[in-house]
Amino acid sequence: MNQVTGHGGGVWSLRVPIPDNPLGHTLVHVVDTDRGPVLIDTGWDDPASWSELTGGLDALGLSVRDVHGVVITHHHPDHHGLSGRVREESGAWIAMHAADTAVVRRTRASEPGAWLDYLAHKLAAVGAPEEHTAPLRAARSSGRVRTLPGLRSALPDREIVPGELLDLAGRRLRAVWTPGHTPGHVCLHLEEEHPARLPGHGRLFSGDHLLPGISPHIGLYEDPDDATVTDPLGDYLDSLERIGRLGVAEVLPAHQYAFPDAAGRVRELLDHHEERLTGLLALLATPLTPWQLAERMEWNRPWEQIPHGSRNIAVSEAEAHVRRLVKQGRAEAMAGTDPVTYVAV
């Protein structure tokens, strides 16, 4: 499959591989401006990914040195990973929403060991068995902390302010804050007529917020220093409705492929999460910890086959759904339970 796709009107996408990941690749979008090309996301920090990114730019008759700016939809390493390297080569600015810039700053400042302590403690509190937390504690005590992706992510030098037009010469690109997948996720609305005159209002670079065939992971926002009880799934569902109301002609997501009918896809995702919440409520007829709930939820494979790291992601997703049920008054934590146990009301 050709790695460069033209979307018309000075917009292209480049397929940048994500190593050892079923998603396969990130779609990095190139937007032509009067001051030079601007990238929306950059892909994973890996030599093969870098050569695909630079090769894709070469195919467009561009060099990475020509890049004028980098707009990041969210801080995850398959989106923000190569930003620093692009900036080193080109002098480009990097823009990100303040909430995700705070995550990058915190990650850069924290010791991997402190993160492992936090994770082990948090997992035990939601009912993870000893055999799951033991490897985290062993890695901590042996000092054998593998370098986690994102520990050295580039600090952005510009802030994306929701509702404002980005400073792109000759283009109208407006930031829409869509928290949920991350606290500072943004979609970018290209408020220009669709080049093929598709009905609707412009095009949307949707990052991971709206994908044609995947429901993005919604877990808890991890901030060891913040005691606020956040509601990422509630944020995500609200953000989805906001995107559905934009009436865009076409969506250009960061994975899979471009698609029309954003409003139809939004309805599918809202229905999917409502079904999921209703299903979890049925499971919570019996009191369960978030870990026990994750074991019983439907995933893309049986729980026994889910690897260690992915179980952490699954239990975070279970917690996000429980938070939503609690906020809606449909479930509650049972007083005095440790690990914390929830039950439908």
Side-chain angles (χ1 to χ4, degrees):
M1 193 172 182
N2 193 352
Q3 138 210 24
V4 181
T5 305
H7 296 282
V11 176
W12 299 266
S13 58
L14 314 178
R15 291 158 56 94
V16 176
I18 311 171
D20 306 321
N21 188 298
L23 270 177
H25 54 264
T26 304
L27 295 173
V28 171
H29 289 92
V30 183
V31 179
D32 191 24
T33 80
D34 294 346
R35 293 193 201 112
V38 166
L39 302 183
I40 296 179
D41 293 333
T42 56
W44 192 278
D45 184 5
D46 178 79
S49 309
W50 175 254
S51 71
E52 289 291 315
L53 178 66
T54 54
L57 289 168
D58 287 345
L60 294 173
L62 299 168
S63 154
V64 76
R65 288 185 297 280
D66 302 326
V67 174
H68 168 62
V70 174
V71 181
I72 297 299
T73 60
H74 63 297
H75 72 83
H76 287 161
D78 55 325
H79 297 260
H80 180 45
L82 285 169
S83 303
R85 186 141 181 215
V86 170
R87 181 166 63 187
E88 278 167 30
E89 297 276 335
S90 64
W93 45 262
I94 301 172
M96 189 185 278
H97 186 283
D100 271 21
T101 297
V103 178
V104 172
R105 188 169 276 118
R106 192 166 65 237
T107 308
R108 287 170 62 100
S110 71
E111 280 294 307
W115 173 250
L116 288 174
D117 287 345
Y118 165 72
L119 199 56
H121 172 75
K122 198 172 142 336
L123 285 162
V126 294
E130 169 61 29
E131 67 264 20
H132 183 84
T133 55
L136 295 172
R137 280 199 288 277
R140 172 72 169 114
S141 59
S142 70
R144 218 176 10 83
V145 178
R146 286 182 306 120
T147 54
L148 303 160
L151 285 181
R152 298 285 165 268
S153 293
L155 270 173
D157 32 51
R158 288 194 183 184
E159 183 181 335
I160 297 176
V161 181
E164 289 193 4
L165 286 172
L166 277 81
D167 177 25
L168 303 191
R171 309 297 310 231
R172 287 187 62 83
L173 189 67
R174 193 177 299 279
V176 185
W177 184 32
T178 50
H181 182 58
T182 69
H185 191 293
V186 291
C187 293
L188 300 145
H189 187 192
L190 193 61
E191 298 178 338
E192 302 168 8
E193 186 176 29
H194 191 282
R197 301 246 154 77
L198 292 185
H201 181 37
R203 295 182 276 180
L204 186 77
F205 299 101
S206 66
D208 280 359
H209 183 67
L210 195 61
L211 302 170
I214 303 171
S215 174
H217 164 67
I218 309 295
L220 295 188
Y221 303 143
E222 301 292 6
D223 182 354
D225 305 319
D226 187 1
T228 316
V229 180
T230 57
D231 178 18
L233 183 55
D235 292 346
Y236 178 66
L237 299 174
D238 290 346
S239 305
L240 270 182
E241 292 189 2
R242 201 157 60 247
I243 289 300
R245 289 194 292 268
L246 285 176
V248 296
E250 189 177 24
V251 180
L252 303 174
H255 303 286
Q256 298 192 300
Y257 48 85
F259 62 100
D261 193 18
R265 182 65 183 134
V266 163
R267 277 194 304 277
E268 287 174 7
L269 286 163
L270 290 172
D271 290 348
H272 161 77
H273 282 287
E274 188 46 50
E275 276 171 36
R276 203 156 198 210
L277 287 166
T278 306
L280 297 193
L281 212 49
L283 290 173
L284 289 173
T286 314
L288 296 172
T289 65
W291 184 272
Q292 291 168 330
L293 192 59
E295 288 178 320
R296 289 159 177 76
M297 284 168 75
E298 266 189 47
W299 304 105
N300 57 4
R301 59 195 132 165
W303 183 257
E304 302 70 55
Q305 291 170 26
I306 296 179
H308 186 278
S310 300
R311 288 185 178 192
N312 295 341
I313 294 169
V315 78
S316 184
E317 188 139 332
E319 285 181 273
H321 279 76
V322 168
R323 285 261 175 105
R324 179 89 291 248
L325 290 170
V326 170
K327 290 253 181 180
Q328 291 175 329
R330 294 158 82 184
E332 64 186 19
M334 296 178 71
T337 53
D338 183 22
V340 62
T341 301
Y342 292 88
V343 67
V345 286

